[in-house]
Amino acid sequence: MGESEIERLSRIKSKLEYRARIINSIRAFFSREGFVEIETPLRVPSIAPEQFILPFTSEGWFLSTSPELQMKRLLSAGYERIFQICHCFRKNERGRQHNPEFTMLEWYRALADYQVIIRDTENLVSELAQEFKAGHELIYQGCKIDLSLPWFRITIAEAYQKWAGWNPDEHFDGVRFDHDMVEKIIPSLPQDKPAILLDYPAQCASLARLKPDNPAVAERAEIFIGGLEIANGFSELNDPLEQERRFMQEIELMRHEGKPAVLPVKFLEAIKKLPPACGMALGIDRLVMLFCDTAVIDDVIAFPSDML
């Protein structure tokens, strides 16, 4: 016979208390760094159209899949350093590491690029480790992870050439790219240190800026710790015409598949004034999983979607 709800909530009580302490420390970190905490709506008329992210609809609007568009509108209005801890919603995302409603940390810097936001992430996680683990190491699922700086970095081109035998920057194949990422690249990343994948092919740019000296790749990075994808960040695209072109490509694909998609017109208008900027999205639930040494997201969420 399985455990009751009360038994389960009692069992994870220490992890939820740990979670609260981590979130408090995250807020303190960004306050010290001069960031302003902001709030954006959870229910919005449009979101960034992305083929593989399926939103929940709400009376013709959407539950936010990310606060990204609204936060960048704030950057366009002159805000320089902002962060937010909020709930996001994505359909069909349920598993050991996924819940349809999850907690996201996003932060943005004006007049900076993705290398700066990567260093923010390194410093944040390193400081959390020193506070909660009294050092630079933690144990996750039996593996000792050294969080001391700098973290391991490798470009997508280098990783795919080394572990998959081809270069997606030269001959991009989306199906092969995704398959090899899951089957070959992520399993080959170092497990004893955090790993950063850099410079994704332009076809994976989404809202990221292309490298000025190499437009075949985007200034985008994903961060993995202990096999968990923890964060995704990039230098922001601030060309409204190029952004609209990318959005329309995604919308065409989504409508062909019968998925809801709306062009975010106010965002496209706002980024005409968007300064050079960068942003990072970090999954709070997965970060807490890491520090609590659990492989199951249900252990760090009081009420997962199928337990309501």
Side-chain angles (χ1 to χ4, degrees):
M1 184 176 180
E3 64 182 348
S4 69
E5 176 180 284
I6 297 300
E7 289 171 335
R8 175 185 166 273
L9 290 173
S10 296
R11 174 175 58 80
I12 66 171
K13 180 173 180 287
S14 62
K15 292 184 175 63
L16 296 185
E17 292 172 341
Y18 203 170
R19 176 192 180 103
R21 292 169 57 204
I22 288 172
I23 290 174
N24 285 339
S25 294
I26 289 171
R27 285 195 162 97
F29 172 87
F30 283 103
S31 178
R32 290 195 305 272
E33 292 293 316
F35 284 73
V36 175
E37 182 171 8
I38 54 90
E39 296 179 78
T40 56
L42 293 181
R43 182 175 173 271
V44 292
S46 62
I47 58 174
E50 295 185 68
Q51 184 184 8
F52 299 110
I53 295 179
L54 187 60
F56 289 93
T57 56
S58 173
E59 299 182 340
W61 283 21
F62 302 93
L63 296 183
S64 177
T65 56
S66 162
E68 178 175 5
L69 301 191
Q70 288 73 35
M71 293 185 77
K72 285 193 275 193
R73 284 163 66 181
L74 288 168
L75 291 180
S76 296
Y79 293 68
E80 295 182 357
R81 298 184 185 186
I82 54 176
F83 82 101
Q84 178 170 194
I85 296 172
C86 64
H87 281 217
C88 298
F89 305 83
R90 298 179 185 181
K91 271 189 177 181
N92 301 333
E93 296 204 5
R94 182 69 176 113
R96 292 175 64 85
Q97 300 177 8
H98 296 84
N99 191 62
E101 180 179 354
F102 58 97
T103 305
M104 186 87 85
L105 161 67
E106 290 203 17
W107 72 99
Y108 292 83
R109 284 179 177 268
L111 307 177
D113 66 9
Y114 71 140
Q115 295 292 352
V116 176
I117 215 84
I118 290 170
R119 289 195 293 273
D120 282 343
T121 312
E122 289 179 312
N123 292 333
L124 170 63
V125 177
S126 178
E127 284 196 20
L128 291 174
Q130 291 181 64
E131 179 177 354
F132 293 106
K133 299 297 181 181
H136 288 286
E137 291 185 347
L138 59 80
I139 304 295
Y140 183 68
Q141 301 298 287
C143 180
K144 182 183 292 185
I145 302 174
D146 178 9
L147 297 173
S148 59
L149 307 182
W151 293 351
F152 174 82
R153 285 164 162 76
I154 188 168
T155 67
I156 286 290
E158 292 168 339
Y160 274 76
Q161 287 174 329
K162 183 175 182 178
W163 296 315
W166 65 292
N167 185 349
D169 292 353
E170 296 176 353
H171 305 286
F172 186 75
D173 180 329
V175 173
R176 185 182 180 188
F177 182 86
D178 292 342
H179 175 272
D180 285 353
M181 176 66 77
V182 173
E183 299 295 329
K184 298 179 181 180
I185 305 304
I186 295 176
S188 299
L189 294 173
Q191 297 297 302
D192 60 346
K193 280 190 74 71
I196 304 171
L197 286 175
L198 296 163
D199 299 346
Y200 277 64
Q203 293 85 347
C204 303
S206 187
L207 288 86
R209 182 180 72 193
L210 302 183
K211 291 181 77 70
D213 60 347
N214 182 9
V217 301
E219 294 184 344
R220 176 185 168 193
E222 286 193 302
I223 299 174
F224 297 82
I225 306 178
L228 291 174
E229 180 190 345
I230 295 294
N232 175 49
F234 41 82
S235 303
E236 304 295 345
L237 177 64
N238 58 0
D239 179 342
L241 295 179
E242 171 60 18
Q243 188 64 78
E244 182 174 1
R245 184 190 68 80
R246 294 185 194 179
F247 279 165
M248 292 307 299
Q249 285 183 335
E250 289 292 305
I251 288 173
E252 184 177 350
L253 291 170
M254 294 170 72
R255 288 177 175 168
H256 180 73
E257 297 174 357
K259 297 176 181 177
V262 176
L263 186 68
V265 177
K266 285 189 176 181
F267 169 74
L268 292 173
E269 183 66 26
I271 63 169
K272 293 176 181 178
K273 297 183 178 180
L274 181 67
C278 55
M280 183 72 75
L282 184 149
I284 292 285
D285 306 310
R286 291 189 182 178
L287 184 68
V288 177
M289 286 171 61
L290 187 70
F291 276 84
C292 289
D293 189 18
T294 179
V296 183
I297 197 170
D298 292 14
D299 285 347
V300 298
I301 298 177
F303 297 101
S305 61
D306 49 7
M307 297 183 186
L308 293 172

